[in-house]
Amino acid sequence: MIIITAKAHDFLIDTLKQKGYEVLYAPEITYEQLSEKIDHATGLVVTTRIKIDAAMIDKARNLQWIGRLGSGMELIDTNYAAEKNILCVSSPEGNRNAVGEHALGMLLNLMNNISKSSNEVKEGKWLREQNRGVELTGKIVGIIGFGNTGSAFAKLLAAFDVSILANDKYKSGFGNVYIKEATIEQISRYADVISFHLPLNEETYHFANDAFFKALQQKPFIINTSRGAVVNTNSLITAIKNNNIAGAALDVLENEKIDKLNEEETERLQFLNDQKNVLLTPHIAGYSNEAFYKMSRILLEKLGI
């Protein structure tokens, strides 16, 4: 039996059934409910909703593989799964273009005051001078994390004649005419835009902290379409208050269950919502219609199904 624990394209479900698999499609299943059923599963499909920890894996005595729709394996204990000979596969190739396009869209929106001025027009205000934009063309863009989404973002930026400073701790040799491999210090010194494309782990948790923002020299726009906790929200707010950054575009938050925020988290979210140079979207960067299908197709291809 294959258990699908999140919303998935019909292509995934139909293909598995055509191949003779019994499929339990349970996009609302809880951790507790899954733990009761996982003993029967040979395959498991997940997103970012349920943590697949060692305790869950211990109950999955027949599990052969875990398939992640999208990118980021932080909720799966991949090391323990490997010890149990459970294959773990993700499909970041399926939504990388969507993330790149969303990051670019948010950046152009911020630089040209699109949402800000649109809201003002709805209020009966016609403020041209106050909404004079900044062109992306010719700027220096820092990309931190040059995997699937970082490289997809860079590909789209090529049309804007920008210079790209890219940093990836675990990759090298990817530079070309307009992409230069750079250190974090160089990005902090020269970049007009900084976009995060990092997985969330012990190394990247609160990567953008007080020290990071204090080191910035060009007052850049900040984009985060990776994971909310890559950016320390308190540090970001301090940077906004101190005028250290030009604006922020966030598709992710440290706590995305905004109906269950504590008092401090509620205050931080309210502050961000009140800023005219901050854009927030609800973790939709990699959630296009095309990506929804491609993530399933690529996952099946990698699993050989």
Side-chain angles (χ1 to χ4, degrees), residues 9-10 94-95 98 284-296:
H9 196 280
D10 289 344
N95 67 350
I284 56 172
Y287 211 55
S288 69
N289 285 306
E290 291 83 358
F292 194 49
Y293 161 72
K294 286 190 291 184
M295 288 186 292
S296 290

Side-chain angles (χ1 to χ4, degrees), residues 225-293:
T225 54
S226 58
R227 290 293 182 266
V230 166
V231 175
N232 183 319
T233 308
N234 285 330
S235 299
L236 175 69
I237 288 173
T238 299
I240 293 170
K241 289 179 177 178
N242 292 340
N243 208 28
N244 290 337
I245 62 174
L250 310 175
D251 182 56
V252 288
L253 297 173
E254 291 199 61
N255 185 354
E256 296 178 358
K257 298 177 181 179
I258 63 172
D259 58 335
K260 297 180 181 178
L261 301 181
N262 60 37
E263 184 177 351
E264 181 182 359
E265 291 169 334
T266 300
E267 290 176 357
R268 291 194 303 226
L269 179 59
Q270 187 60 56
F271 175 86
L272 293 172
N273 277 324
D274 288 342
Q275 307 311 302
K276 294 183 178 180
N277 62 341
V278 174
L279 284 176
L280 301 175
T281 53
H283 204 150
I284 56 172
Y287 211 55
S288 69
N289 285 306
E290 291 83 358
F292 194 49
Y293 161 72

Side-chain angles (χ1 to χ4, degrees), residues 18-135:
Q18 289 168 9
K19 297 291 184 176
Y21 292 97
E22 178 187 354
V23 177
L24 173 60
Y25 181 53
E28 304 298 329
I29 196 169
T30 65
Y31 178 95
E32 291 73 20
Q33 291 169 336
L34 178 61
S35 67
E36 294 174 359
K37 297 179 180 296
I38 200 166
D39 183 42
H40 303 289
T42 56
L44 181 67
V45 178
V46 300
T47 55
T48 56
R49 211 173 55 79
I50 294 179
K51 190 168 188 176
I52 309 302
D53 54 17
M56 182 70 76
I57 292 171
D58 279 337
K59 294 184 178 181
R61 291 177 293 179
N62 298 298
L63 196 63
Q64 299 172 10
W65 55 262
I66 301 171
R68 163 76 164 94
L69 289 172
S71 60
M73 306 287 273
E74 67 270 14
L75 291 184
I76 304 171
D77 191 336
T78 53
N79 291 330
Y80 193 62
E83 291 179 15
K84 297 290 186 177
N85 295 316
I86 298 171
L87 175 67
C88 293
V89 174
S90 62
S91 54
E93 301 88 350
N95 67 350
R96 62 187 175 190
N97 292 337
V99 174
E101 289 188 14
H102 193 88
L104 178 59
M106 293 186 85
L107 177 58
L108 292 174
N109 187 324
L110 264 185
M111 297 182 81
N112 293 282
N113 297 311
I114 293 174
S115 288
K116 174 180 176 292
S117 60
S118 176
N119 289 332
E120 289 168 352
V121 172
K122 292 174 183 177
E123 297 170 358
K125 301 174 184 177
W126 194 262
L127 305 175
R128 295 186 68 213
E129 186 65 30
Q130 296 89 330
N131 287 297
R132 191 185 295 274
V134 178
E135 293 184 11

Side-chain angles (χ1 to χ4, degrees), residues 179-200:
I179 300 173
K180 307 299 181 185
E181 296 177 43
T183 65
I184 297 299
E185 290 73 22
Q186 289 170 325
I187 290 174
S188 298
R189 180 180 301 175
Y190 299 112
D192 302 298
V193 175
I194 297 177
S195 187
F196 291 100
H197 298 270
L198 295 168
L200 181 61

